[in-house]
Amino acid sequence: MDPLPGRAAGGREGGRRAGCARHEFAVAAGVRRRPLQLHLVQTATPGPAGPSGKTLGSAAASAAREPERSSDLNERILSEPLKHFDFFNVKELFSVRSLFDARVHLGHKAGCRHRFMEPYIFGSRLDQDIIDLEQTATHLQLALNFTAHVAYRKGIILFVSRRRQFSHLIENVARGCGEYAHSRYFKGGLLTNAPLLLGPGVRLPDLIIFLHTLNNVFEPHIAVRDAAKMNIPTVGIVDTNCNPSLITYPVPGNDDSPPAVQLFCRLFQTTINRAKEKRKQVEALYRLQGQEGAEGRGAADPPSPGVQAELGLGRCA
Amino acid sequence: MAALRVPCGAAASYRLFLGGRVSFARGQGLWKAAAAKLQRSPGCQILRLRHTTVVAARKNVAALRHETYTVDFIKKQIEEFNIGKRHLANMMGEDPETFTQEDIDRAIAYLFPSGLFEKRARPIMKHPEEIFPKQRAIQWGEDGRPFHFLFYTGKQSYYSLMHEAYGKLLDVENRQDQLRAKGLFSEKTKAKDPIGSRWLIKEELEEMLVEKLSDQDYAQFTRLLERLSALPCDAAEEEFVGSFRRSVTIPLRKQLTEPLQCDEKGMAFSTGQGNRKTAKAKVAVYDHGSGRIEVNGVDYLLYFPVTQDREQLMFPFHFLDRLGEHDMTCTVSGGGRAAQAGAIRLATARALCSFVTEDEVEWMRQAGLLTADPRVRERKKPGQEGARRKFTWKKR
């Protein structure tokens, strides 16, 4: 399997599965562009009278060097995970056996089967469809990897579901990993008309995770279509009666049994927390390296440039 | 094609009507050039030509947006208010440190006397918190990440409240299950709440959450809390539920029951006053009587020939089952016969409060005996025959 395809700097590409054209004008004036990359570069430049206002003379000289150093740092922080296939080692979080034990392979009856789910179905037993767990494992690994990358780059992740049974669980999961949840009635223009509904200058989610792709009347959730319209990548657990076409990283699996949903929630929570931890570690590591490097460069430099770099980095935290 | 007329006045500009409506910029030269271009273009037809000034119709964009007050603006307003308060105190010759809101109101009423009937239209000087509507601060930080985990639902406070309540419900049920597993579960029937409290109404909840709610939302909220309160909860959960209940105290409009007075003969009596329309009545009700009623020195049978009026006089006694037990003397002036009867009735009821228990006073209040009838004659308006009656409408 090739690593994340076409992944240049910036995670805003819709991905291979989003079939819609790029709606540039859809990003209206009021919606803050999701500057996962840009934002960091901008805030990495502290002013000449930076955080430590006392050393103005020498600060002016070193300030020119500071932005370069911190922008280098940022670029390295962001590009390093992209060079590995499974940087966050999400593969170890699950196995085909654990998926089987959580009843993820159980689909709906053959009459409910969606045409586009046929490639993912292993077979049917007593008229009940069985999902191919080998494929599920690959798709799940890709999805978790993508989620981890988004969390690493401090993106906003939104958990969406419309099943009342699991609404409380999903909200707890979101709170547990410091992200956001929406398991309530989805208002019409929430994503497409966000500046009006949520306030001007709002930042939209960078990833939407669907634990249930259908709503209470067994129709595709509106957020699937709206996310595709707004170029927001989606990860979704698709059962045998769901339509996987608009979802960027579909994960074929059972979304009805409590053990299956709890397993998926646990997996997502663990990956996101892991990715955030990793980010903190990498930042600390590079900060230390920067400090050591600056100390080695000489005493003419203003005291603790590592502090300035840290503050420059810290501002984007 | 219509002939184009060159304007005489330099200031005049034109509005040309084409297929759609187009308004051109002012300025002769610009117009001439545009018109010349139009003449040359084959498809268009100039239908009409008018000498009119072009008014740039601009939408009032500010009015369409909701008025948002920034935090700095509100802070500035509060500073100005405080400084103004001190100036006002100075003007009135009072101590600026101990100048309360009531003093401010009195000072403003003194300095800016207003004859306006609508109290809310009169000049006011209140703290900006009371004047500017409460608004939400920006819900996200510098990096754009919202603070609340349910921000993207749109109604974060309401849904977080529901989430919390449901969490508590699950806790209670878990606890019950554990007790049942240990065999310690006892079917305790909770003491029913006395009628003294009610759930928050929708407006109060909206005010509490600073969010708009729909009726369905409110119904769901009430249902969930009812469900939670029906289960055996511990102290924290009781407190949580209690924070959404308000007490219902019957607002007794302090019916000051005057004590019974004694006249020179040793008879206990009580007085009361009442009015209805323009009639004013004063009544003295004596204890241990035989049901005689005297109005303006004349027996009530002679003063009120109409049965209806006499019934009005008797009603308070009849209500309290004390028909033949009291004597009554009253003076009444103003109004007509029914108004005088109503005034005496109110005065009697008020006088009888001193003879009677508090419960019976409450029953009288609920029966409407102690409420003054606020209806007065509505004035006649010009252009109409009466207060409401309009002149006969003639088609032609």
Side-chain angles (χ1 to χ4, degrees), chain B residues 168-184:
Chain B
K168 290 199 156 59
L169 187 73
L170 287 179
D171 288 337
V172 169
E173 286 180 350
N174 277 338
R175 218 178 314 124
Q176 275 191 322
D177 288 340
Q178 282 170 7
L179 285 179
R180 242 187 235 118
K182 287 190 202 154
L184 300 168

Side-chain angles (χ1 to χ4, degrees), chain A residues 32 39 154-156 158 164 168 171-172 175 178-182 184 190 198-205, chain B residues 138 140-155 159 162-164 166-168 170 220:
Chain A
R32 186 198 286 250
H39 182 78
K154 300 197 179 145
I156 292 180
L158 182 66
R164 284 194 58 176
H168 189 79
E171 287 177 347
N172 282 335
R175 206 166 30 168
E179 299 295 339
Y180 307 86
H182 186 106
R184 308 286 177 164
L190 200 75
L198 298 172
V202 69
R203 182 176 155 190
L204 285 183
Chain B
I138 290 289
W140 50 84
E142 264 186 22
D143 56 352
R145 287 188 77 102
F147 299 127
H148 200 278
F149 74 109
L150 291 176
F151 170 76
Y152 288 105
T153 57
K155 299 184 213 174
Y159 284 129
M162 297 292 277
H163 176 80
E164 206 184 323
Y166 189 69
K168 290 199 156 59
L170 287 179
Q220 286 280 64

Side-chain angles (χ1 to χ4, degrees), chain A residues 76-95:
Chain A
R76 266 197 295 161
I77 289 176
L78 292 177
S79 60
E80 188 54 41
L82 298 176
K83 296 173 189 158
H84 307 261
F85 174 60
D86 195 359
F87 185 71
F88 301 96
N89 201 12
V90 296
K91 255 190 143 47
E92 64 170 15
L93 293 174
F94 65 94
S95 64

Side-chain angles (χ1 to χ4, degrees), chain A residues 3 9 12 27 54 113 158 161 173 181 187 215 227 230 236 248 263 277 285 288 290 294 296 303:
Chain A
R12 287 203 56 230
V27 184
K54 12 185 186 130
R113 193 190 307 164
L158 182 66
S161 158
V173 160
K187 262 182 116 168
N215 60 14
M230 301 302 291
T248 329
L263 172 79
E277 280 301 312
L285 182 72
L288 271 171

Side-chain angles (χ1 to χ4, degrees), chain A residues 2 11 16 58-59 61 67 76 85 110 140 148 171 190 196 201 231 242 307 315 317:
Chain A
D2 56 326
R16 17 181 211 157
S58 43
R76 266 197 295 161
F85 174 60
L140 187 58
E171 287 177 347
L190 200 75
L196 199 73
N231 287 352
C242 306
V307 173
R315 259 197 245 155

Side-chain angles (χ1 to χ4, degrees), chain B residues 153-253:
Chain B
T153 57
K155 299 184 213 174
Q156 62 185 49
S157 324
Y158 169 72
Y159 284 129
S160 86
L161 180 64
M162 297 292 277
H163 176 80
E164 206 184 323
Y166 189 69
K168 290 199 156 59
L169 187 73
L170 287 179
D171 288 337
V172 169
E173 286 180 350
N174 277 338
R175 218 178 314 124
Q176 275 191 322
D177 288 340
Q178 282 170 7
L179 285 179
R180 242 187 235 118
K182 287 190 202 154
L184 300 168
F185 183 71
S186 51
E187 285 287 350
K188 271 189 298 225
T189 46
K190 268 196 28 179
K192 276 292 139 195
D193 284 306
I195 316 173
S197 63
R198 57 165 176 89
W199 292 116
L200 279 182
I201 55 171
K202 189 175 153 214
E203 282 75 24
E204 287 175 346
L205 188 62
E206 281 186 348
E207 202 194 347
M208 193 164 144
L209 300 174
V210 195
E211 250 172 21
K212 285 261 153 59
L213 296 179
S214 75
D215 292 327
Q216 292 88 355
D217 293 335
Y218 175 69
Q220 286 280 64
F221 167 75
T222 320
R223 224 177 290 155
L224 184 60
L225 282 185
E226 288 272 0
R227 209 174 134 196
L228 182 56
S229 66
L231 295 171
C233 313
D234 64 355
E237 281 136 23
E238 292 278 2
E239 205 191 306
F240 176 75
V241 172
S243 65
F244 297 106
R245 285 196 84 96
R246 294 281 176 271
S247 59
V248 177
T249 41
I250 302 158
L252 260 178
R253 188 74 69 77

